[in-house]
């Protein structure tokens, strides 16, 4: 038996891949909320990298965006036009689409089940209308895809010290110019992301005073707030443990539970799905013990570059931001940003440095 705890994209895509590669596998997904995809706690911006994993149905796409404006503290900005448009998800419908695919493959999904404890080989769940326990057998597998405060990680000793940031977002009815606006100097970062012709998702991510940062930021926009969302965003760092064997049961972490997110933007959907797909493949091949080594090489090395860049950004002064964004406003650098998928910093950064070697001066912030 394979038990996946958490019915978000990472967990569901892992289940889909498992049943695709091993149709006979006994795969169960347990989700704490009563409905898959609810509540929404995500801006839902995806780069074209998602096309390497799955085709997103039209009904799960809110809109597509072809350009972004990166704002500096001094009011100037750099405009970037994407070679391929970003997809803005209807996150609840995307998750439900994945759940439908998983069930079609034969994955059993249980909603309203919150995992809270392990005793020997027994998993314990609670819910609004039910309590449940599952007794596992030696050789079974449990995959934690249950978010930044993963109960699976805590109950298996895989939860080491973490430093999540707190994001607040509002959906606002407001005028916009159909481009993403990014403010890297506000909190960890702030954004306006169009959702439709007259609505936008506006939010911030910060490590302290999140509400104050959000209230100050959103005050500059005129419109009506339709809804609010908030939640923790995990911080990736190297060395977070992701697998362990206890009482003959193999435990693994993927997605937000493993802090597999880009620290520069908070994006984690693609990384989590990649990790879930990788783990599923290794389980199918009987090579799951290689998970930590393989996921570092295939997913997390890229995330580590985002970690280093974010570490440098945290030390930036306003003047540093002004100079960097002025450099990005130059035609050649803006073309590099447009033509290179930002999920692949290992490709983008060398091109940027080769074009403007003076930017190497910013590496001093890594010391």
């Amino acid at each position: 038996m394979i038990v996946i705890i958490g019915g978000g994209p990472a967990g569901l895509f892992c289940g889909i891949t498992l049943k695709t590669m091993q149709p006979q596998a006994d795969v169960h997904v347990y989700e704490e909320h009563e409905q898959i995809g609810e509540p929404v706690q995500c801006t839902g911006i995806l780069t074209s990298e998602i096309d390497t994993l799955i085709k997103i149905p039209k009904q799960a796409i809110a809109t597509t965006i072809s350009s972004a404006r990166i704002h500096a503290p001094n009011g100037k900005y750099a405009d970037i036009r994407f070679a391929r448009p970003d997809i803005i998800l209807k996150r609840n419908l995307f998750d439900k689409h994945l759940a439908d695919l998983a069930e079609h493959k034969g994955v059993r999904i249980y909603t309203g089940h919150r995992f809270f404890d392990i005793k020997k080989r027994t998993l314990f769940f609670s819910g609004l209308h039910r309590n449940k326990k599952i007794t596992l057998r030696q050789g079974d597998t449990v995959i934690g895809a249950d978010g930044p405060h993963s109960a699976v990680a805590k109950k298996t000793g895989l939860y080491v010290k973490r430093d999540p940031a707190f994001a607040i977002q509002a959906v606002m009815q407001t005028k916009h110019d159909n481009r993403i606006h990014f403010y890297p100097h506000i909190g960890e970062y702030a954004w306006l992301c169009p959702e439709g012709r007259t609505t936008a998702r506006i939010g911030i991510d910060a490590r302290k005073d999140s509400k104050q940062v959000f209230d100050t930021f959103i005050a500059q926009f005129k419109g009506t707030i339709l809804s609010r969302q908030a939640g923790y965003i995990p911080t990736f760092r190297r060395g977070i443990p992701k697998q362990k064997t206890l009482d003959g049961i193999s435990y693994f972490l993927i997605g937000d539970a493993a802090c597999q997110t880009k620290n520069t933007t908070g994006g984690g959907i693609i990384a989590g799905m990649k990790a879930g797909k990788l783990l599923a493949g290794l389980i199918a091949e009987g090579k799951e013990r290689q998970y930590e080594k393989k996921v570092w090489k295939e997913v997390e090395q890229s995330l580590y570059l985002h970690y280093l860049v974010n570490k440098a950004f945290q030390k930036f002064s306003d003047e540093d931001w002004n100079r960097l964004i002025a450099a990005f406003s130059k035609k050649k650098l803006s073309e590099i940003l447009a033509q290179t998928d930002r999920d692949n910093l290992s490709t983008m950064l060398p091109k940027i440095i080769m074009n403007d070697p003076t930017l190497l001066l910013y590496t001093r912030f890594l010391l």
Side-chain angles (χ1 to χ4, degrees):
M1 180 189 296
I2 300 171
V3 175
I4 300 172
I5 298 176
L12 291 169
F13 196 61
C14 183
I16 291 167
T17 308
L18 279 164
K19 289 294 287 184
T20 299
M21 300 187 73
Q22 281 188 308
Q24 77 282 7
D26 186 19
V27 182
H28 303 253
V29 173
Y30 289 85
E31 165 58 36
E32 67 172 315
H33 297 106
E34 292 292 330
Q35 294 186 51
I36 295 290
E38 303 288 350
V40 175
Q41 294 177 311
C42 177
T43 304
I45 303 174
L46 295 180
T47 69
S48 58
E49 183 78 4
I50 190 64
D51 295 338
T52 65
L53 297 170
I54 192 171
K55 180 176 175 58
I56 301 176
K58 290 183 179 180
Q59 65 268 24
I61 298 175
T63 189
T64 57
I65 302 294
S66 297
S67 63
R69 176 167 289 176
I70 307 172
H71 293 262
N74 62 5
K76 296 183 179 181
Y77 51 81
D79 283 338
I80 311 298
R81 187 160 188 85
F82 307 142
R84 297 181 64 187
D86 280 4
I87 294 170
I88 313 303
L89 286 177
K90 294 179 181 178
R91 175 60 193 273
N92 58 335
L93 297 185
F94 178 63
D95 287 17
K96 288 173 183 176
H97 172 66
L98 291 176
D100 289 344
L101 291 178
E103 288 185 316
H104 180 73
K105 290 285 187 180
V107 176
R108 299 181 184 181
I109 299 176
Y110 309 83
T111 58
H113 285 71
R114 183 181 68 85
F115 167 76
F116 71 91
D117 203 3
I118 302 169
K119 292 183 179 178
K120 296 292 184 180
R121 295 179 183 170
T122 302
L123 307 179
F124 292 86
F125 297 82
S126 65
L128 185 62
H129 306 294
R130 64 191 74 81
N131 291 317
K132 184 173 183 176
K133 62 181 180 179
I134 301 172
T135 300
L136 303 172
R137 297 180 179 180
Q138 184 168 344
D140 285 348
T141 297
V142 176
I143 300 170
D146 51 337
H149 297 295
S150 171
V152 175
K154 291 177 180 178
K155 292 299 179 179
T156 57
L158 290 171
Y159 194 93
V160 296
K161 184 178 179 181
R162 302 184 179 196
D163 183 27
F166 193 71
I168 305 175
Q169 175 175 270
V171 176
M172 176 180 276
Q173 188 170 10
T174 186
K175 293 181 180 179
H176 59 74
D177 56 1
N178 202 41
R179 77 176 91 206
I180 295 169
H181 290 259
F182 193 64
Y183 305 77
H185 59 285
I186 296 177
E188 288 291 298
Y189 40 83
W191 64 87
L192 179 149
C193 173
E195 181 182 78
R197 288 184 298 175
T198 60
T199 56
R201 302 167 186 175
I202 303 171
I204 62 94
D205 183 32
R207 297 192 184 282
K208 60 181 180 179
D209 302 323
S210 298
K211 186 178 184 303
Q212 180 180 341
V213 174
F214 173 77
D215 290 342
T216 301
F217 178 63
I218 203 167
Q220 68 183 286
F221 303 101
K222 294 180 180 180
T224 302
I225 293 178
L226 305 177
S227 63
R228 294 174 185 259
Q229 304 151 4
Y232 286 97
I233 297 180
T235 299
F236 176 81
R237 64 178 177 81
R238 190 171 185 178
I240 292 176
K242 288 168 281 291
Q243 67 183 78
K244 194 171 190 176
T245 300
L246 294 171
D247 297 310
I249 308 300
S250 298
Y251 294 91
F252 300 91
L253 302 178
I254 60 175
D256 283 2
C259 298
Q260 291 163 338
T261 54
K262 295 180 292 185
N263 292 359
T264 54
T265 65
I269 294 176
I270 292 175
M273 290 175 67
K274 283 184 174 181
K277 180 181 179 180
L278 172 67
L279 177 58
L282 292 172
I283 291 172
E285 295 171 1
K287 299 178 180 179
E288 60 268 28
R289 291 181 180 272
Q290 299 179 22
Y291 172 61
E292 285 191 337
K293 179 180 178 180
K294 292 283 190 179
V295 80
W296 163 253
K297 181 178 180 180
E298 298 186 26
V299 179
E300 294 180 346
Q301 280 188 353
S302 176
L303 299 180
Y304 185 64
L305 289 177
H306 285 273
Y307 162 83
L308 292 175
V309 170
N310 177 254
K311 182 180 177 181
F313 285 171
Q314 289 176 352
K315 299 177 183 179
F316 269 32
S317 66
D318 282 356
E319 188 53 38
D320 291 320
W321 279 119
N322 291 338
R323 286 197 296 265
L324 181 62
I325 292 171
F328 285 158
S329 67
K330 296 176 182 178
K331 182 179 179 181
K332 187 60 179 179
L333 280 182
S334 67
E335 288 177 351
I336 291 172
L337 291 177
Q339 294 169 4
T340 310
D341 194 313
R342 61 186 179 276
D343 277 318
N344 297 314
L345 281 187
S346 59
T347 300
M348 180 186 291
L349 289 178
K351 291 181 180 179
I352 290 173
I353 298 300
M354 288 178 66
N355 182 263
D356 188 349
T358 64
L359 296 179
L360 281 170
L361 293 173
Y362 291 107
T363 60
R364 72 185 188 277
F365 292 113
L366 296 174
L367 302 177

